[in-house]
Amino acid sequence: MAGSFPSWCAQCKPETGVYHDRLPISRIRRDGDTQGRAILDPRILEEYSSLMAEGAEFPPVRVWFDGENLWLADGFQRVAAAERIGLTDIA
């Protein structure tokens, strides 16, 4: 997201490097072959989903903004787990 930020991001503060506390999952692209794993691990998804449902905090996901899209670089299992329990945004 260096030097640019999504126009819809009201919380973005490029002068400080802070772009958003939470990202809408629907805006995060996962179809750009940025996933390092061959598959998502169902056991990890179950564990993360349970922990998220209990309110556990996870490290923020990493995304890249190319001027148009947010591309997920790290956090595929966290995003999938969040979706699984019905969350619409993620840190």
Side-chain angles (χ1 to χ4, degrees):
M1 291 195 199
S4 182
F5 60 96
S7 59
W8 52 263
C9 183
Q11 296 175 335
C12 295
K13 295 178 178 57
E15 66 278 2
T16 64
V18 174
Y19 289 92
H20 214 288
D21 290 334
R22 299 195 61 86
L23 296 170
I25 292 173
S26 64
R27 294 199 179 259
I28 301 173
R29 300 278 306 265
R30 291 170 272 171
D31 59 338
D33 292 327
T34 57
Q35 163 69 294
R37 290 181 171 78
I39 60 168
L40 297 176
D41 185 331
R43 293 172 298 187
I44 296 295
L45 290 177
E46 181 62 36
E47 179 183 353
Y48 285 9
S49 296
S50 294
L51 290 169
M52 286 178 179
E54 294 170 3
E57 290 190 33
F58 283 78
V61 298
R62 291 189 57 187
V63 298
W64 299 102
F65 182 61
D66 66 2
E68 185 175 334
N69 296 295
L70 294 170
W71 295 97
L72 188 59
D74 181 47
F76 284 83
Q77 297 195 114
R78 285 171 275 162
V79 170
E83 279 186 317
R84 187 179 199 175
I85 63 168
L87 297 179
T88 59
D89 62 7
I90 192 163

